[in-house]
RNA sequence: UGGGCGGUCGACUAAUGGUAGGUCAAGUGCCUUUGGAGCACUUUGUCUAGGUUCGAAUCCUAGCCGCCCAGCCA
């Protein structure tokens, strides 16, 4: 089995000239007009390799790559790897795979903040020499105290006014590994009374005797985000450095370093992070789910990670369309998960070949159908796409239908099979229920007897007789057994971060987020399904072959169910009761 | 109670002093060999109060509400 690559297309956000704009795009348009960057647009996507990419990153990828592509610019992939304690090669590998899958193309421009460690160090020395940075001997606890609070100004460290020589010497000895972790830091000398806490002599370098996934043991001091990010942007000549809202307070610092160093003035622009109902988009919490075994790994199909969503059966196009549709702004909102689901359905409806699968089988015997007879009935592969052609499906005397498609006592508006009623078997015949077989002890219906009308072959009614329902079916003797995994929301709470006092977000976990059906019956054409192949199982939803599939033991994931009008009606009926 | 940033249908987002529009959701009808898809229609909105203006979602003033910031995380 191998995954197909036909999914991979450019991650542009939208193409038509009349497209709705957004404020970031407007800024670029304006910069282009004023020739601020000599007509250049160069963005970057800067993930930290401390976890897997999720749907929130997809928004950022679409924005960064989409905007640059629209204006003939470029986008770099840059790993923000300044904290060796949290970062791993596994994460950089997955990020590359996932970003590519989404359609991001950075050509040969894949960088690491760690590529710039030498330059960053030199710049730190430069700032020390300019009297703009100093080595502080305060411990973490004291640094916090000296920083003041939201409402009180900070107090200058007693080490703030060391001589340049002493600072240079100390910083060099920090680099040499002479001091233990946490014993000293390099700080920028800005303003301990600034109302913006980020400007109260922010830390530039900390001592970390940790081995880095790329630089190994070359360094035991590592730059902080604030001292690395802007300069990395600048080195790469990034024109528009797009990040999320929580960095707004950092922008003055971002600009301060660039200005003090006199380097290329990249411009930071902040937009709102994606929030989705019933979904958690925090790498820390997703990591926790993985580590505690609440899910089966980063690529569990219930996870909002790109790898999870991919395994679930989503297409990159659907994700791109979603990202284009939700727009970009500065309001912190929460997108209805239904919006995401809409875009997969929309995409898969056009693409996915149909197949008949019975999830929870109920045995049907067509009493008047000749024993031993088998017909090959022709059915269309995709009513939305004539070019998808047709296939043959075997029909015989004993079939399986969905348990949900039969009711002994049909409620109002239930049009499917029930005693005395006629339905159409999709692409087959009209059948009428004549009798049921019950389990003697439980009273449960375990089988149904029907008669068929030979004149209705392929589902046509020569007399124009109407049936109110068409149901799917699989020939019992030809059916393939398979496992089907049904997913529900991972969380029961619309905002899973909302947690009762003293509790953990895991209280919101949905105990029914995964249901494994081991007795599904597949039409025989599905035998050749390959990893990642996506289908619409008629009347049920979109499904794809999971990587747990083995020859002769297929496993399918439900990507998303079809919209279900009957379920809504039934729910309303139950609520009004 | 410091600073920063926001508040437009149920959700998201346009309108950049000149008809409050689109998408999702919800609902109704049509159509249907998927109760799918499609099509048509419908409901609901400018945080509040003042002001400027011929005209305000947009500008001004004052409130109210929400989010972010006190990591040697990013």
């Amino acid at each position: 089995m191998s995954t197909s690559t036909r999914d991979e297309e450019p991650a542009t956000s939208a193409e038509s000239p009349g497209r709705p704009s957004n404020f970031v795009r407007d800024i670029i348009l304006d910069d282009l007009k004023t020739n601020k960057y000599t007509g250049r647009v160069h963005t970057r996507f800067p993930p930290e390799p401390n976890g897997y990419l999720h749907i929130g990153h997809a928004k950022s990828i679409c924005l960064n790559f989409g905007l640059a592509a629209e204006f003939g610019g470029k986008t770099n992939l840059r790993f923000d790897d300044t904290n060796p304690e949290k970062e791993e090669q596994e994460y950089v590998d997955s990020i590359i795979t996932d970003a590519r899958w989404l359609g991001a193309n950075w050509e040969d421009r894949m960088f690491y903040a760690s590529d710039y460690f030498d330059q960053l160090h030199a710049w730190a020395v430069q700032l020390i020499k300019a009297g703009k940075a100093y080595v502080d001997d305060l411990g973490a606890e004291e640094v916090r105290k000296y920083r003041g609070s939201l409402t009180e100004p900070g107090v200058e460290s007693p080490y703030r006014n060391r001589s340049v020589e002493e600072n240079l010497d100390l910083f060099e000895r920090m680099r040499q590994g002479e001091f233990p972790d946490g014993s000293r830091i390099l700080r920028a000398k800005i303003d301990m009374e600034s109302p913006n806490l980020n400007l109260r002599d922010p830390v530039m370098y900390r001592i970390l005797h940790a081995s880095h996934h790329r630089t190994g043991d070359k360094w035991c001091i590592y730059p902080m985000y604030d001292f690395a990010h802007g300069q990395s942007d600048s080195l790469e000549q990034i024109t528009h450095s797009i990040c999320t809202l929580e960095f707004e307070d950092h922008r003055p610092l971002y600009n301060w370093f660039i200005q003090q160093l006199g380097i290329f003035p990249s411009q930071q622009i902040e937009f709102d992070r994606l929030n989705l109902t019933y979904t958690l988009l925090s790498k820390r919490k997703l990591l926790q789910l993985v580590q505690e075994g609440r899910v089966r790994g980063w690529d569990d199909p219930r996870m909002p990670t790109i790898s999870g969503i991919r395994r679930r059966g989503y297409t990159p196009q659907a994700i791109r369309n979603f990202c284009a549709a939700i727009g970009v702004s500065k309001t912190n909102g929460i997108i209805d998960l239904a919006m995401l689901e809409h875009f997969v359905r929309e995409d898969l409806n056009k693409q996915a070949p149909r197949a008949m699968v019975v999830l929870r089988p109920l045995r049907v015997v067509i009493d008047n159908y000749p024993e031993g007879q088998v017909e090959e009935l022709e059915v269309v592969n995709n009513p939305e796409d004539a070019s998808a052609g047709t296939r043959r499906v075997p029909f015989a005397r004993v079939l399986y239908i969905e348990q949900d498609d039969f009711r002994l006592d049909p409620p109002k508006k239930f049009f499917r099979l029930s005693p005395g009623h006629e339905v159409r078997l999709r692409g087959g015949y009209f059948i009428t229920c004549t009798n049921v077989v019950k389990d003697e002890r439980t009273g449960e219906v375990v089988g149904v007897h029907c008669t068929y009308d030979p004149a209705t072959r392929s589902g046509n009614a020569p007399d124009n007789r109407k049936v109110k329902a068409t149901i799917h079916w699989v020939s019992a003797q030809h059916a393939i057994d398979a496992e089907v995994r049904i997913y529900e929301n991972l969380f029961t709470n619309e905002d899973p971060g909302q947690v009762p006092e003293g509790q953990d977000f895991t209280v919101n976990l949905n105990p029914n987020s995964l249901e494994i059906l081991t007795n599904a019956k597949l039409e025989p054409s599905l035998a050749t399904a390959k990893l990642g192949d996506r289908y619409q199982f008629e009347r049920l939803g979109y499904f794809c072959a999971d990587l747990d599939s083995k020859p002769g033991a297929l496993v399918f994931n439900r990507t998303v169910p079809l919209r279900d009008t009957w379920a809504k009606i039934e729910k309303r009926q139950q609520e009004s009761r």
Side-chain angles (χ1 to χ4, degrees):
Chain A
M1 283 193 187
S2 64
T3 16
S4 71
T5 53
R6 72 189 137 87
D7 288 332
E8 298 182 17
E9 279 166 42
T12 46
S13 56
E15 293 76 24
S16 57
R19 110 194 44 175
S21 196
N22 62 60
F23 83 99
V24 183
R25 187 168 176 271
D26 290 343
I27 290 171
I28 292 177
L29 247 17
D30 200 55
D31 290 344
L32 253 19
K33 203 180 300 168
T34 61
N35 211 31
K36 186 168 176 179
Y37 298 104
T38 62
R40 239 166 22 88
V41 175
H42 201 149
T43 59
R44 105 265 92 116
F45 173 62
E48 182 189 10
N50 68 341
Y52 279 56
L53 257 27
H54 56 61
I55 184 77
H57 295 105
K59 176 178 179 180
S60 174
I61 288 174
C62 289
L63 221 211
N64 279 292
F65 283 88
L67 245 19
E70 180 185 354
F71 298 108
K74 296 172 176 173
T75 306
N76 299 352
L77 172 64
R78 181 173 71 235
F79 290 97
D80 219 332
D81 57 349
T82 56
N83 184 355
E85 293 183 327
K86 290 185 176 172
E87 294 148 10
E88 296 174 21
Q89 187 60 39
E90 177 197 350
Y91 296 133
V92 344
D93 294 341
S94 73
I95 287 167
I96 291 170
T97 300
D98 294 345
R100 280 217 181 105
W101 179 75
L102 277 171
N105 179 8
W106 49 87
E107 298 174 308
D108 58 349
R109 297 179 309 280
M110 182 170 88
F111 305 120
Y112 295 80
S114 54
D115 293 342
Y116 312 133
F117 280 177
D118 285 312
Q119 175 63 262
L120 258 10
H121 176 264
W123 276 332
V125 169
Q126 182 184 329
L127 289 183
I128 292 172
K129 287 179 177 164
K132 301 286 186 181
Y134 63 97
V135 172
D136 196 341
D137 299 359
L138 256 25
E141 185 73 16
E142 293 157 304
V143 166
R144 192 185 325 134
K145 276 189 206 135
Y146 276 77
R147 187 157 31 225
S149 73
L150 294 179
T151 50
E152 299 156 326
V155 175
E156 295 185 355
S157 164
Y159 304 97
R160 196 174 198 259
N161 293 309
R162 295 216 247 232
S163 69
V164 168
E165 292 66 33
E166 189 180 6
N167 281 320
L168 249 18
D169 173 62
L170 254 13
F171 186 52
E172 174 58 15
R173 288 159 64 191
M174 279 169 66
R175 189 182 73 77
Q176 296 287 359
E178 198 173 309
F179 311 121
D181 288 4
S183 59
R184 277 179 237 259
I185 49 178
L186 183 71
R187 305 178 74 172
K189 193 188 283 189
I190 305 182
D191 177 9
M192 287 307 292
E193 294 186 4
S194 171
N196 181 345
L197 301 255
N198 293 119
L199 263 21
R200 320 246 259 229
D201 289 9
V203 179
M204 294 163 59
Y205 268 92
R206 76 285 215 185
I207 300 172
L208 243 32
H209 290 269
S211 161
H212 186 277
H213 70 104
R214 294 195 77 241
T215 60
D217 296 321
K218 177 177 178 185
W219 298 91
C220 62
I221 55 171
Y222 291 92
M224 299 287 290
Y225 166 86
D226 285 309
F227 191 66
H229 202 95
Q231 291 96 301
S232 301
D233 286 340
S234 182
L235 282 166
E236 295 174 19
Q237 304 268 304
I238 299 302
T239 56
H240 303 268
S241 177
I242 303 166
C243 64
T244 43
L245 251 26
E246 68 270 26
F247 291 102
E248 261 171 332
D249 285 347
H250 294 246
R251 188 174 355 114
L253 183 53
Y254 180 102
N255 292 334
W256 191 86
F257 282 126
I258 283 179
Q259 197 183 35
Q260 295 302 319
L261 264 10
I263 55 181
F264 179 81
S266 299
Q267 160 179 213
Q268 176 179 305
I269 302 165
E270 312 87 10
F271 73 101
D272 63 328
R273 162 193 293 287
L274 172 68
N275 291 303
L276 260 189
T277 56
Y278 300 102
T279 309
L280 228 33
L281 296 178
S282 142
K283 277 201 268 185
R284 205 201 92 235
K285 289 173 182 165
L286 296 179
L287 209 212
Q288 185 180 338
L289 292 176
V290 172
Q291 287 179 333
E292 293 180 358
R294 311 286 188 147
V295 294
R296 300 177 172 187
W298 285 100
D299 70 341
D300 186 301
R302 293 167 293 180
M303 290 283 271
T305 51
I306 302 302
S307 57
I309 291 171
R310 173 172 60 234
R311 185 170 174 185
R312 174 102 166 222
Y314 276 68
T315 60
Q317 187 63 57
I319 295 169
R320 276 180 236 128
N321 292 347
F322 167 76
C323 289
I326 59 176
V328 178
S329 71
K330 297 186 73 144
T331 56
N332 350 54
I334 181 158
I335 310 267
D336 194 334
L337 184 59
M339 181 88 90
L340 214 211
E341 295 179 336
H342 163 79
F343 285 100
V344 223
R345 289 197 189 98
E346 180 188 64
D347 192 31
L348 258 17
N349 178 48
K350 291 177 288 188
Q351 321 223 347
R354 315 282 125 127
M356 289 201 282
V357 169
V358 173
L359 261 21
R360 297 173 181 83
L362 176 65
R363 200 175 128 95
V364 174
V365 179
I366 318 279
D367 290 322
N368 60 339
Y369 193 86
E371 218 149 333
Q373 178 172 316
V374 174
E375 290 179 82
E376 296 280 328
L377 298 171
E378 187 171 49
V379 296
V380 300
N381 285 328
N382 186 348
E384 303 292 320
D385 177 11
S387 72
T390 62
R391 69 187 185 286
R392 292 184 175 279
V393 182
F395 185 91
R397 187 167 190 265
V398 182
L399 311 172
Y400 292 117
I401 65 168
E402 210 68 61
Q403 286 172 18
D404 281 351
D405 287 341
F406 177 82
R407 287 294 170 80
L408 236 198
D409 239 342
K412 219 175 274 179
K413 292 187 179 170
F414 182 88
F415 303 140
R416 282 110 93 146
L417 198 63
S418 59
H421 281 91
E422 185 175 51
V423 297
R424 174 191 289 113
L425 293 177
R426 166 127 249 226
Y429 292 93
F430 285 16
I431 58 170
T432 303
C433 175
T434 55
N435 203 358
V436 302
V437 183
K438 288 185 185 172
D439 183 294
E440 282 180 13
R441 285 197 305 276
T442 64
E444 183 194 357
V445 175
V446 293
V448 175
H449 285 270
C450 292
T451 56
Y452 85 113
D453 178 354
T456 57
R457 193 184 139 104
S458 290
N460 300 306
D463 58 354
N464 260 332
R465 175 174 14 133
K466 299 289 182 203
V467 283
K468 277 190 163 169
T470 299
I471 65 175
H472 59 279
W473 53 274
V474 173
S475 165
Q477 62 175 283
H478 301 94
I480 300 170
D481 288 318
E483 175 178 319
V484 176
R485 297 173 183 169
I486 304 293
Y487 303 104
E488 300 288 345
N489 296 340
L490 226 203
F491 295 96
T492 52
N493 198 326
E494 201 172 281
D495 177 3
Q498 214 62 249
V499 167
E501 200 44 44
Q503 302 221 52
D504 190 63
F505 71 92
T506 52
V507 300
N508 290 324
L509 243 12
N510 178 6
N512 306 120
S513 60
L514 167 64
E515 182 182 9
I516 299 177
L517 303 175
T518 52
N519 197 27
K521 305 293 185 181
L522 278 45
E523 67 165 71
S525 72
L526 253 14
T528 55
K530 290 188 296 299
L531 172 57
D533 281 356
R534 294 181 271 249
Y535 298 89
Q536 184 196 100
F537 291 175
E538 292 221 33
R539 304 208 306 131
L540 298 173
Y542 297 96
F543 293 77
C544 77
D546 187 76
L547 81 216
D548 285 344
S549 295
K550 304 212 165 41
L554 291 170
V555 177
F556 284 89
N557 297 311
R558 186 175 73 181
T559 307
V560 66
L562 249 28
R563 294 187 55 176
D564 190 342
T565 306
W566 165 245
K568 276 183 207 165
I569 295 170
E570 193 178 32
K571 194 180 170 203
R572 235 181 294 156
Q573 285 178 352
Q574 284 167 358
E575 281 169 356
S576 67
R577 204 164 293 153

